[in-house]
Amino acid sequence: KGKILALILNGNLVDSASEGDKAAVILDCTSFYAESGGQVSDHGYLIADSVKFLVTDCQKQGDHFLHIGTVSFGSISIGQEIDSVVDANFRSAIQINHSATHLLHSALRKILGEHVLQKGSLVDSNRLRFDFSHTEVISSEKRKSIERIVNKEIRRNTSVLTDVCDINTAQKKGAISLFGEKYGDEVRVLTMGDGFSVELCGGTHVLCTGDIGVFKIISETGVAAGIRRIEAITGDLALSYFDKLERDLERLSLALKSTPENILEKATILLS
């Protein structure tokens, strides 16, 4: 529950907004996560009697959270009490991908070396994108090793733990921080896999690594000098990806009058 402190309509502070108006709402407290650290914002609703405000974005400006969206019906006004309701399914898909980036980061450092550090990321409900320091193309064999390590940690289904402490204590815990990032007096330390991954992070995450389900790398490319990028999918989207590959293989087998087990041999003979 919160109270509306301010309303912004067309760049101006206003006292109220009506059905159909696109506005930004500032509350005294909220359950929404604002876009930050590569993680997209929550979606959901602000609801009170006879009013519903659809939130499609949440941005942080200073100490304020701007709930950006449209008045679905009714009207909202300054001082009104309202409930902030996050879309649980949307947040769940995001936090599955976010937690997977932490496991990926640790797996990369184990396989490629401790020179690997995060240089950027994008986490949304459909996929994860992770940029990191490395100078060479990652071989197919090493990609598979990275996937195996991440999926092993997922299957271990360990608890994801958070702790708020000062930066010196966090560093003693072995927490990885981002170069150039500014940290306050207190930081949030996220630990996964009984110490497999320890990082500073303020984002939303799964309760246990098993909630991620499955992890699949779909691409690995270079984006700048000394910077590589991995894109990956998790959970239901990864399972859908596997289903599509299986259907494609079945159709190819039918077209080549072969079986999935013998399709490579049949294709090689036809090409010859």
Side-chain angles (χ1 to χ4, degrees):
K1 293 183 180 298
K3 181 181 291 185
I4 297 177
L5 300 180
L7 288 169
I8 302 169
L9 189 65
N10 298 322
N12 300 312
L13 287 170
V14 296
D15 292 330
S16 63
S18 302
E19 185 173 326
D21 286 342
K22 294 181 179 180
V25 182
I26 298 176
L27 306 174
D28 63 345
C29 60
T30 181
S31 56
F32 279 77
Y33 179 84
E35 181 177 344
S36 180
Q39 178 179 330
V40 300
S41 73
D42 285 328
H43 289 183
Y45 302 94
L46 304 180
I47 300 177
D49 291 338
S50 303
V51 62
K52 186 175 185 180
F53 182 87
L54 173 63
V55 180
T56 54
D57 191 13
C58 187
Q59 296 290 326
K60 191 174 182 182
Q61 299 290 337
D63 293 329
H64 300 298
F65 282 58
L66 275 66
H67 304 77
I68 301 166
T70 306
V71 182
S72 298
F73 60 82
S75 62
I76 54 177
S77 57
I78 301 295
Q80 184 176 10
E81 291 189 348
I82 202 161
D83 292 343
S84 56
V85 182
V86 169
D87 183 329
N89 291 330
F90 188 76
R91 175 183 279 191
S92 177
I94 294 169
Q95 56 194 28
I96 284 172
N97 284 331
H98 196 165
S99 295
T101 64
H102 283 239
L103 296 180
L104 171 61
H105 193 183
S106 292
L108 286 167
R109 287 169 63 85
K110 288 184 181 298
I111 296 298
L112 304 180
E114 294 192 357
H115 65 279
V116 170
L117 290 173
Q118 179 179 339
K119 294 298 181 181
S121 69
L122 173 65
V123 179
D124 61 25
S125 60
N126 294 316
R127 66 189 172 115
L128 65 93
R129 189 180 75 201
F130 190 79
D131 297 347
F132 57 97
S133 53
H134 190 60
T135 57
E136 300 175 347
V137 175
I138 301 176
S139 67
S140 176
E141 182 180 344
K142 287 184 177 180
R143 275 179 52 169
K144 289 298 180 185
S145 295
I146 292 163
E147 278 187 352
R148 279 194 292 269
I149 289 175
V150 173
N151 281 305
K152 180 180 178 181
E153 288 301 320
I154 291 171
R155 291 194 304 274
R156 288 181 64 212
N157 196 29
T158 55
S159 297
V160 176
L161 306 175
T162 58
D163 182 32
V164 177
C165 58
D166 61 80
I167 188 68
N168 291 328
T169 302
Q171 290 172 342
K172 289 177 182 177
K173 291 174 179 282
I176 297 175
S177 57
L178 300 184
F179 178 76
E181 188 83 5
K182 293 182 179 180
Y183 296 102
D185 295 333
E186 287 190 331
V187 293
R188 185 166 175 259
V189 181
L190 190 94
T191 303
M192 305 174 69
D194 297 327
F196 174 80
S197 169
V198 185
E199 293 191 38
L200 302 184
C201 185
T204 62
H205 287 275
V206 297
L207 296 177
C208 299
T209 57
D211 296 342
I212 299 170
V214 65
F215 171 86
K216 176 63 181 173
I217 295 173
I218 56 175
S219 71
E220 188 272 328
T221 57
V223 293
I227 306 293
R228 307 295 299 177
R229 170 175 293 171
I230 279 179
E231 295 195 42
I233 49 179
T234 60
D236 288 340
L237 281 176
L239 294 176
S240 296
Y241 177 82
F242 296 140
D243 286 343
K244 182 182 182 303
L245 290 180
E246 187 174 28
R247 288 195 303 271
D248 289 346
L249 185 59
E250 289 173 351
R251 285 194 289 265
L252 280 169
S253 300
L254 185 63
L256 296 179
K257 296 186 171 99
S258 177
T259 62
E261 294 76 17
N262 298 322
I263 191 171
L264 181 59
E265 180 183 359
K266 185 64 177 288
T268 301
I269 292 171
L270 286 171
L271 285 170
S272 296

